[in-house]
Amino acid sequence: MSEIATHTRGSATLHDVAREAGVSLATASRVLNGSTRKVAESYRDRVQAAADKLGYTANLSAQATARGTAAIVALLVADIADPYFGQLASGVARGADEAGLVVTIAITERDPQREAKLVRALRGQRPRGLILAASRTDGPDGAGLQSELDAFQSMGGRVVALGPVGADIRSVTVDNLGGSRALATRLSQLGYRDAVIVGAREGVRTSDDRVTGFTEGFTAGGGVVRDVIRAGFTRDAGYEGAQRMLAAGVPAGTVVFGISDVVAIGAMSAIRDAGREVGSDLAVAGFDDIPTGRDIRPGLTTVHVPLEDFGYRALHAVLEEDWDPSLPPLPLDVVVRGSTPERA
């Protein structure tokens, strides 16, 4: 019986894997420890097959000690139940899998102080990178986060934000301003002249940009934004915001813009529960193009964001040394469905 065969499954070392695969220790390490150096596909397959056979598991703590970072990417999202973040995470996970990395997810609940605490806690795991997918908050509430991000990067990790954060932090962006402006322009072309926006609190950048862009586009098209209701980013916030709108009175023919699809879907439910119809009475539009918006009836008019590609690009922004900060935002498209029929 060979020396390797005597190992208990799961107790094999990197040396054992290299010997089984017939490659050097360095090659085995590059394959299994998340190195960015290229390894021939034939060698990669042999090493992976040997690791599977022997039940080898990489020691992430040892990797972190030896390299300064572990083969981990941390993803901070606001709400894991929101399909928006699920699709983003799918793109991050696809890129991480290709790079031999593990993704760990933490939930910020859109609380800047909680976000800062999570970054501080994650520093102890020494992840290779940290992707901030929750919307940034302007003002003093977000001040503590910057110092935590600086400390994270000083330890060798790299921070990537979905949206601009600071000069030393890479960002992958969606043109929230331009996308919402294009949506409002299209709705004006469909004949809408009155709108209500259901958004998050002031200071949340994604919401602020979408509110501003929509208002600019709708006004330029001859329309009037009658009210901006500050509710939140969730389905329940959309429902509650629409209830407040309905209680104040809203005329037929008004278009309701929810700053995300889940907000818009909540608004649609509130409109129905109030005995009014979506489409023929009150129109509704959202932003993101999550799958649910395509399946409900009437289908939700929205701005299509390639969310999986967004997450995939963020992962590569963590890994690539020669990342190009001048890359343009991912393309967005307005998608018109039955929730905003053309007005006569």
Side-chain angles (χ1 to χ4, degrees):
M1 182 176 293
S2 71
E3 180 185 350
I4 292 178
T6 65
H7 284 286
T8 302
R9 181 168 180 80
S11 67
T13 67
L14 191 60
H15 287 84
D16 299 326
V17 174
R19 190 181 300 116
E20 175 73 20
V23 300
S24 69
L25 180 62
T27 296
S29 177
R30 288 169 193 155
V31 173
L32 299 174
N33 289 339
S35 172
T36 57
R37 296 185 63 179
K38 297 294 185 182
V39 177
E41 197 64 32
S42 59
Y43 286 153
R44 183 175 294 278
D45 291 344
R46 280 161 54 185
V47 170
Q48 193 59 63
D52 293 344
K53 176 181 176 181
L54 299 175
Y56 171 80
T57 302
N59 186 326
L60 297 181
S61 296
Q63 287 180 14
T65 300
R67 304 175 49 140
T69 60
I72 296 172
V73 171
L75 173 63
L76 267 61
V77 300
D79 180 4
I80 197 63
D82 187 333
Y84 171 92
F85 294 109
Q87 288 184 265
L88 274 174
S90 178
V92 172
R94 174 162 58 93
D97 185 62
E98 292 173 359
L101 302 176
V102 174
V103 179
T104 181
I105 298 178
I107 315 301
T108 69
E109 298 176 352
R110 295 190 173 87
D111 181 342
Q113 294 180 349
R114 175 177 170 82
E115 193 169 30
K117 289 178 181 178
L118 285 168
V119 174
R120 188 181 313 126
L122 285 165
R123 290 208 320 261
Q125 297 182 20
R126 297 189 178 183
R128 185 81 51 83
L130 177 66
I131 298 174
L132 295 172
S135 181
R136 306 277 68 72
T137 300
D138 292 321
D141 285 347
L145 175 62
Q146 186 63 52
S147 62
E148 293 298 336
L149 297 177
D150 291 341
F152 180 90
Q153 295 204 129
S154 71
M155 295 178 63
R158 176 171 288 141
V159 176
V160 172
L162 305 192
V165 174
D168 297 327
I169 294 176
R170 296 181 178 186
S171 64
V172 179
T173 60
V174 163
D175 187 5
N176 290 302
L177 196 70
S180 56
R181 186 188 295 116
L183 172 65
T185 299
R186 185 74 182 95
L187 292 171
S188 297
Q189 293 169 349
L190 289 173
Y192 292 95
R193 292 295 176 267
D194 294 281
V196 173
I197 301 174
V198 181
R201 72 180 188 278
E202 289 187 77
V204 178
R205 293 184 193 176
T206 300
S207 174
D208 287 349
D209 285 349
R210 293 179 182 181
V211 169
T212 299
F214 188 92
T215 302
E216 290 176 354
F218 203 67
T219 302
V224 177
V225 175
R226 300 293 179 184
D227 196 8
V228 178
I229 298 172
R230 301 290 179 173
F233 253 111
T234 66
R235 178 266 176 203
D236 289 345
Y239 188 95
E240 186 268 337
Q243 281 186 316
R244 285 157 50 192
M245 172 193 72
L246 292 161
V250 57
T254 299
V255 60
V256 181
F257 172 49
I259 53 159
S260 71
D261 283 354
V262 293
V263 170
I265 289 169
M268 292 172 76
S269 294
I271 290 167
R272 289 195 185 94
D273 287 351
R276 301 184 68 168
E277 292 188 10
V278 174
S280 59
D281 181 359
L282 296 175
V284 180
F287 199 113
D288 295 328
D289 198 19
I290 62 173
T292 305
R294 306 167 207 167
D295 296 334
I296 57 176
R297 291 293 177 268
L300 178 63
T301 292
T302 188
V303 177
H304 174 74
V305 181
L307 292 170
E308 287 196 26
D309 292 341
F310 196 32
Y312 188 79
R313 179 180 282 194
L315 189 281
H316 278 272
V318 168
L319 299 180
E320 294 178 9
E321 294 299 328
D322 56 349
W323 170 257
D324 183 1
S326 65
L327 282 173
L330 290 165
L332 307 182
D333 297 300
V334 175
V335 182
V336 176
R337 299 191 178 104
S339 66
T340 59
E342 185 170 8
R343 290 184 57 75

